[in-house]
Amino acid sequence: QVQLEESGGGLVQAGGSLRLSCKVSGVTFSKSTMGWFRQAPGKERDFVATISPSSTTSYADFAKGRFTISRDDTKSTVYLQLGSLKPDDTAKYYCAASGFRGRLPVKENEFGYWGQGTQVTVSS
């Protein structure tokens, strides 16, 4: 059974930072591309960042320079470091796993497994 469990969300003031974690089980983590997405109330789920098994990364424009995705294969865990947070970053953040090959996946349908999400709320 594949499980992805996010943690680390919470309430933070604008300009602050948080580190999200996603513990994965039931898949060969070291061979999986991992991604983070987010969904604000009333909006579609948006791509945030992705990291390949070789740690090649890709970011959404809004995340570049502020967010950092990383992975620890020894812990089967992917991280998303959030920095310089803004109220617009308020959303539920989801991690996802992909077996997609050929390029870094960035679309929802390129990820086969999803966590339940962790809420990030940024106050002004």
Side-chain angles (χ1 to χ4, degrees), residues 102-124:
R103 59 168 174 79
L104 282 174
V106 297
K107 301 176 182 178
E108 280 191 70
N109 61 8
E110 294 172 336
F111 290 83
Y113 301 103
W114 292 83
Q116 295 299 306
T118 186
Q119 179 68 37
V120 172
T121 303
V122 185
S123 63
S124 56

PDB file of all heavy atoms in Angstrom, residues 102-124:
ATOM      1  N   GLY A 102      11.582  10.529 -18.803  1.00  0.00           N
ATOM      2  CA  GLY A 102      11.870  11.335 -19.979  1.00  0.00           C
ATOM      3  C   GLY A 102      12.081  12.797 -19.697  1.00  0.00           C
ATOM      4  O   GLY A 102      12.915  13.441 -20.311  1.00  0.00           O
ATOM      5  N   ARG A 103      11.326  13.342 -18.785  1.00  0.00           N
ATOM      6  CA  ARG A 103      11.504  14.739 -18.387  1.00  0.00           C
ATOM      7  C   ARG A 103      10.884  14.862 -17.005  1.00  0.00           C
ATOM      8  O   ARG A 103      10.200  13.966 -16.536  1.00  0.00           O
ATOM      9  CB  ARG A 103      10.810  15.693 -19.363  1.00  0.00           C
ATOM     10  CG  ARG A 103       9.321  15.477 -19.509  1.00  0.00           C
ATOM     11  CD  ARG A 103       8.629  16.602 -20.238  1.00  0.00           C
ATOM     12  NE  ARG A 103       7.227  16.314 -20.497  1.00  0.00           N
ATOM     13  CZ  ARG A 103       6.268  16.420 -19.593  1.00  0.00           C
ATOM     14  NH1 ARG A 103       6.563  16.798 -18.350  1.00  0.00           N
ATOM     15  NH2 ARG A 103       5.009  16.160 -19.904  1.00  0.00           N
ATOM     16  N   LEU A 104      11.103  15.997 -16.375  1.00  0.00           N
ATOM     17  CA  LEU A 104      10.515  16.212 -15.066  1.00  0.00           C
ATOM     18  C   LEU A 104       9.010  16.432 -15.197  1.00  0.00           C
ATOM     19  O   LEU A 104       8.590  17.317 -15.939  1.00  0.00           O
ATOM     20  CB  LEU A 104      11.163  17.420 -14.390  1.00  0.00           C
ATOM     21  CG  LEU A 104      12.540  17.194 -13.775  1.00  0.00           C
ATOM     22  CD1 LEU A 104      13.115  18.498 -13.266  1.00  0.00           C
ATOM     23  CD2 LEU A 104      12.476  16.167 -12.663  1.00  0.00           C
ATOM     24  N   PRO A 105       8.222  15.652 -14.490  1.00  0.00           N
ATOM     25  CA  PRO A 105       6.774  15.857 -14.543  1.00  0.00           C
ATOM     26  C   PRO A 105       6.387  17.114 -13.781  1.00  0.00           C
ATOM     27  O   PRO A 105       6.958  17.424 -12.733  1.00  0.00           O
ATOM     28  CB  PRO A 105       6.225  14.606 -13.850  1.00  0.00           C
ATOM     29  CG  PRO A 105       7.311  14.174 -12.930  1.00  0.00           C
ATOM     30  CD  PRO A 105       8.600  14.540 -13.603  1.00  0.00           C
ATOM     31  N   VAL A 106       5.410  17.832 -14.342  1.00  0.00           N
ATOM     32  CA  VAL A 106       4.926  19.045 -13.694  1.00  0.00           C
ATOM     33  C   VAL A 106       3.402  19.118 -13.684  1.00  0.00           C
ATOM     34  O   VAL A 106       2.818  20.018 -13.091  1.00  0.00           O
ATOM     35  CB  VAL A 106       5.492  20.319 -14.374  1.00  0.00           C
ATOM     36  CG1 VAL A 106       7.007  20.374 -14.254  1.00  0.00           C
ATOM     37  CG2 VAL A 106       5.061  20.385 -15.833  1.00  0.00           C
ATOM     38  N   LYS A 107       2.744  18.152 -14.329  1.00  0.00           N
ATOM     39  CA  LYS A 107       1.285  18.155 -14.398  1.00  0.00           C
ATOM     40  C   LYS A 107       0.716  17.153 -13.406  1.00  0.00           C
ATOM     41  O   LYS A 107       1.310  16.121 -13.125  1.00  0.00           O
ATOM     42  CB  LYS A 107       0.828  17.794 -15.808  1.00  0.00           C
ATOM     43  CG  LYS A 107       1.337  18.729 -16.883  1.00  0.00           C
ATOM     44  CD  LYS A 107       0.914  18.239 -18.262  1.00  0.00           C
ATOM     45  CE  LYS A 107       1.465  19.133 -19.369  1.00  0.00           C
ATOM     46  NZ  LYS A 107       1.093  18.631 -20.710  1.00  0.00           N
ATOM     47  N   GLU A 108      -0.484  17.462 -12.902  1.00  0.00           N
ATOM     48  CA  GLU A 108      -1.114  16.577 -11.929  1.00  0.00           C
ATOM     49  C   GLU A 108      -1.230  15.145 -12.433  1.00  0.00           C
ATOM     50  O   GLU A 108      -0.952  14.202 -11.690  1.00  0.00           O
ATOM     51  CB  GLU A 108      -2.526  17.097 -11.611  1.00  0.00           C
ATOM     52  CG  GLU A 108      -2.576  18.227 -10.630  1.00  0.00           C
ATOM     53  CD  GLU A 108      -3.997  18.487 -10.170  1.00  0.00           C
ATOM     54  OE1 GLU A 108      -4.544  17.643  -9.437  1.00  0.00           O
ATOM     55  OE2 GLU A 108      -4.553  19.527 -10.563  1.00  0.00           O
ATOM     56  N   ASN A 109      -1.625  14.991 -13.698  1.00  0.00           N
ATOM     57  CA  ASN A 109      -1.867  13.636 -14.204  1.00  0.00           C
ATOM     58  C   ASN A 109      -0.583  12.867 -14.484  1.00  0.00           C
ATOM     59  O   ASN A 109      -0.629  11.713 -14.929  1.00  0.00           O
ATOM     60  CB  ASN A 109      -2.761  13.673 -15.448  1.00  0.00           C
ATOM     61  CG  ASN A 109      -2.157  14.439 -16.604  1.00  0.00           C
ATOM     62  OD1 ASN A 109      -0.988  14.842 -16.551  1.00  0.00           O
ATOM     63  ND2 ASN A 109      -2.930  14.648 -17.648  1.00  0.00           N
ATOM     64  N   GLU A 110       0.567  13.484 -14.228  1.00  0.00           N
ATOM     65  CA  GLU A 110       1.845  12.787 -14.364  1.00  0.00           C
ATOM     66  C   GLU A 110       2.307  12.198 -13.035  1.00  0.00           C
ATOM     67  O   GLU A 110       3.358  11.568 -12.968  1.00  0.00           O
ATOM     68  CB  GLU A 110       2.896  13.750 -14.929  1.00  0.00           C
ATOM     69  CG  GLU A 110       2.573  14.167 -16.360  1.00  0.00           C
ATOM     70  CD  GLU A 110       3.479  15.260 -16.897  1.00  0.00           C
ATOM     71  OE1 GLU A 110       4.049  16.019 -16.074  1.00  0.00           O
ATOM     72  OE2 GLU A 110       3.592  15.368 -18.134  1.00  0.00           O
ATOM     73  N   PHE A 111       1.501  12.413 -12.004  1.00  0.00           N
ATOM     74  CA  PHE A 111       1.799  11.882 -10.668  1.00  0.00           C
ATOM     75  C   PHE A 111       0.721  10.878 -10.297  1.00  0.00           C
ATOM     76  O   PHE A 111      -0.452  11.183 -10.359  1.00  0.00           O
ATOM     77  CB  PHE A 111       1.853  13.012  -9.641  1.00  0.00           C
ATOM     78  CG  PHE A 111       3.056  13.903  -9.804  1.00  0.00           C
ATOM     79  CD1 PHE A 111       3.052  14.941 -10.727  1.00  0.00           C
ATOM     80  CD2 PHE A 111       4.197  13.698  -9.046  1.00  0.00           C
ATOM     81  CE1 PHE A 111       4.166  15.746 -10.893  1.00  0.00           C
ATOM     82  CE2 PHE A 111       5.316  14.507  -9.198  1.00  0.00           C
ATOM     83  CZ  PHE A 111       5.296  15.538 -10.126  1.00  0.00           C
ATOM     84  N   GLY A 112       1.145   9.686  -9.866  1.00  0.00           N
ATOM     85  CA  GLY A 112       0.186   8.636  -9.622  1.00  0.00           C
ATOM     86  C   GLY A 112      -0.252   8.498  -8.180  1.00  0.00           C
ATOM     87  O   GLY A 112      -1.311   7.925  -7.906  1.00  0.00           O
ATOM     88  N   TYR A 113       0.550   9.014  -7.268  1.00  0.00           N
ATOM     89  CA  TYR A 113       0.240   8.854  -5.852  1.00  0.00           C
ATOM     90  C   TYR A 113       0.299  10.211  -5.165  1.00  0.00           C
ATOM     91  O   TYR A 113       1.209  11.012  -5.432  1.00  0.00           O
ATOM     92  CB  TYR A 113       1.235   7.890  -5.191  1.00  0.00           C
ATOM     93  CG  TYR A 113       1.239   6.522  -5.820  1.00  0.00           C
ATOM     94  CD1 TYR A 113       2.252   6.134  -6.682  1.00  0.00           C
ATOM     95  CD2 TYR A 113       0.210   5.617  -5.555  1.00  0.00           C
ATOM     96  CE1 TYR A 113       2.251   4.882  -7.261  1.00  0.00           C
ATOM     97  CE2 TYR A 113       0.205   4.363  -6.137  1.00  0.00           C
ATOM     98  CZ  TYR A 113       1.225   4.000  -6.986  1.00  0.00           C
ATOM     99  OH  TYR A 113       1.220   2.758  -7.562  1.00  0.00           O
ATOM    100  N   TRP A 114      -0.641  10.417  -4.240  1.00  0.00           N
ATOM    101  CA  TRP A 114      -0.803  11.701  -3.574  1.00  0.00           C
ATOM    102  C   TRP A 114      -0.982  11.536  -2.081  1.00  0.00           C
ATOM    103  O   TRP A 114      -1.552  10.537  -1.619  1.00  0.00           O
ATOM    104  CB  TRP A 114      -2.037  12.414  -4.132  1.00  0.00           C
ATOM    105  CG  TRP A 114      -1.874  12.830  -5.547  1.00  0.00           C
ATOM    106  CD1 TRP A 114      -2.058  12.048  -6.660  1.00  0.00           C
ATOM    107  CD2 TRP A 114      -1.482  14.116  -6.016  1.00  0.00           C
ATOM    108  NE1 TRP A 114      -1.800  12.780  -7.793  1.00  0.00           N
ATOM    109  CE2 TRP A 114      -1.448  14.056  -7.422  1.00  0.00           C
ATOM    110  CE3 TRP A 114      -1.164  15.322  -5.392  1.00  0.00           C
ATOM    111  CZ2 TRP A 114      -1.102  15.151  -8.211  1.00  0.00           C
ATOM    112  CZ3 TRP A 114      -0.826  16.412  -6.178  1.00  0.00           C
ATOM    113  CH2 TRP A 114      -0.796  16.320  -7.567  1.00  0.00           C
ATOM    114  N   GLY A 115      -0.500  12.528  -1.347  1.00  0.00           N
ATOM    115  CA  GLY A 115      -0.789  12.592   0.070  1.00  0.00           C
ATOM    116  C   GLY A 115      -2.085  13.339   0.329  1.00  0.00           C
ATOM    117  O   GLY A 115      -2.747  13.807  -0.607  1.00  0.00           O
ATOM    118  N   GLN A 116      -2.423  13.467   1.598  1.00  0.00           N
ATOM    119  CA  GLN A 116      -3.661  14.131   2.000  1.00  0.00           C
ATOM    120  C   GLN A 116      -3.501  15.640   2.147  1.00  0.00           C
ATOM    121  O   GLN A 116      -4.507  16.357   2.248  1.00  0.00           O
ATOM    122  CB  GLN A 116      -4.157  13.538   3.323  1.00  0.00           C
ATOM    123  CG  GLN A 116      -4.570  12.084   3.216  1.00  0.00           C
ATOM    124  CD  GLN A 116      -5.702  11.895   2.231  1.00  0.00           C
ATOM    125  OE1 GLN A 116      -6.748  12.533   2.335  1.00  0.00           O
ATOM    126  NE2 GLN A 116      -5.505  11.023   1.251  1.00  0.00           N
ATOM    127  N   GLY A 117      -2.265  16.100   2.166  1.00  0.00           N
ATOM    128  CA  GLY A 117      -2.028  17.537   2.222  1.00  0.00           C
ATOM    129  C   GLY A 117      -1.780  18.058   3.619  1.00  0.00           C
ATOM    130  O   GLY A 117      -2.188  17.453   4.617  1.00  0.00           O
ATOM    131  N   THR A 118      -1.103  19.193   3.675  1.00  0.00           N
ATOM    132  CA  THR A 118      -0.868  19.896   4.932  1.00  0.00           C
ATOM    133  C   THR A 118      -1.136  21.381   4.701  1.00  0.00           C
ATOM    134  O   THR A 118      -0.720  21.936   3.684  1.00  0.00           O
ATOM    135  CB  THR A 118       0.570  19.642   5.449  1.00  0.00           C
ATOM    136  OG1 THR A 118       0.733  20.230   6.741  1.00  0.00           O
ATOM    137  CG2 THR A 118       1.629  20.193   4.512  1.00  0.00           C
ATOM    138  N   GLN A 119      -1.848  21.983   5.640  1.00  0.00           N
ATOM    139  CA  GLN A 119      -2.296  23.365   5.464  1.00  0.00           C
ATOM    140  C   GLN A 119      -1.205  24.354   5.851  1.00  0.00           C
ATOM    141  O   GLN A 119      -0.599  24.231   6.927  1.00  0.00           O
ATOM    142  CB  GLN A 119      -3.545  23.633   6.301  1.00  0.00           C
ATOM    143  CG  GLN A 119      -4.078  25.053   6.203  1.00  0.00           C
ATOM    144  CD  GLN A 119      -4.639  25.372   4.827  1.00  0.00           C
ATOM    145  OE1 GLN A 119      -5.258  24.524   4.183  1.00  0.00           O
ATOM    146  NE2 GLN A 119      -4.431  26.605   4.372  1.00  0.00           N
ATOM    147  N   VAL A 120      -0.989  25.318   4.989  1.00  0.00           N
ATOM    148  CA  VAL A 120      -0.091  26.436   5.278  1.00  0.00           C
ATOM    149  C   VAL A 120      -0.917  27.713   5.226  1.00  0.00           C
ATOM    150  O   VAL A 120      -1.570  27.991   4.223  1.00  0.00           O
ATOM    151  CB  VAL A 120       1.064  26.512   4.264  1.00  0.00           C
ATOM    152  CG1 VAL A 120       1.874  27.793   4.465  1.00  0.00           C
ATOM    153  CG2 VAL A 120       1.957  25.285   4.382  1.00  0.00           C
ATOM    154  N   THR A 121      -0.889  28.454   6.310  1.00  0.00           N
ATOM    155  CA  THR A 121      -1.622  29.713   6.383  1.00  0.00           C
ATOM    156  C   THR A 121      -0.646  30.829   6.719  1.00  0.00           C
ATOM    157  O   THR A 121       0.077  30.745   7.717  1.00  0.00           O
ATOM    158  CB  THR A 121      -2.736  29.655   7.438  1.00  0.00           C
ATOM    159  OG1 THR A 121      -3.619  28.572   7.130  1.00  0.00           O
ATOM    160  CG2 THR A 121      -3.522  30.965   7.467  1.00  0.00           C
ATOM    161  N   VAL A 122      -0.612  31.848   5.872  1.00  0.00           N
ATOM    162  CA  VAL A 122       0.303  32.968   6.057  1.00  0.00           C
ATOM    163  C   VAL A 122      -0.513  34.205   6.385  1.00  0.00           C
ATOM    164  O   VAL A 122      -1.352  34.637   5.592  1.00  0.00           O
ATOM    165  CB  VAL A 122       1.152  33.210   4.800  1.00  0.00           C
ATOM    166  CG1 VAL A 122       2.179  34.314   5.062  1.00  0.00           C
ATOM    167  CG2 VAL A 122       1.849  31.921   4.367  1.00  0.00           C
ATOM    168  N   SER A 123      -0.252  34.767   7.555  1.00  0.00           N
ATOM    169  CA  SER A 123      -0.985  35.959   7.973  1.00  0.00           C
ATOM    170  C   SER A 123      -0.216  37.220   7.595  1.00  0.00           C
ATOM    171  O   SER A 123       1.017  37.219   7.566  1.00  0.00           O
ATOM    172  CB  SER A 123      -1.230  35.922   9.482  1.00  0.00           C
ATOM    173  OG  SER A 123       0.000  35.954  10.175  1.00  0.00           O
ATOM    174  N   SER A 124      -0.963  38.285   7.338  1.00  0.00           N
ATOM    175  CA  SER A 124      -0.322  39.547   6.928  1.00  0.00           C
ATOM    176  C   SER A 124       0.012  40.411   8.120  1.00  0.00           C
ATOM    177  O   SER A 124      -0.374  40.128   9.241  1.00  0.00           O
ATOM    178  CB  SER A 124      -1.249  40.312   5.983  1.00  0.00           C
ATOM    179  OG  SER A 124      -2.489  40.527   6.605  1.00  0.00           O
TER     180      SER A 124
END
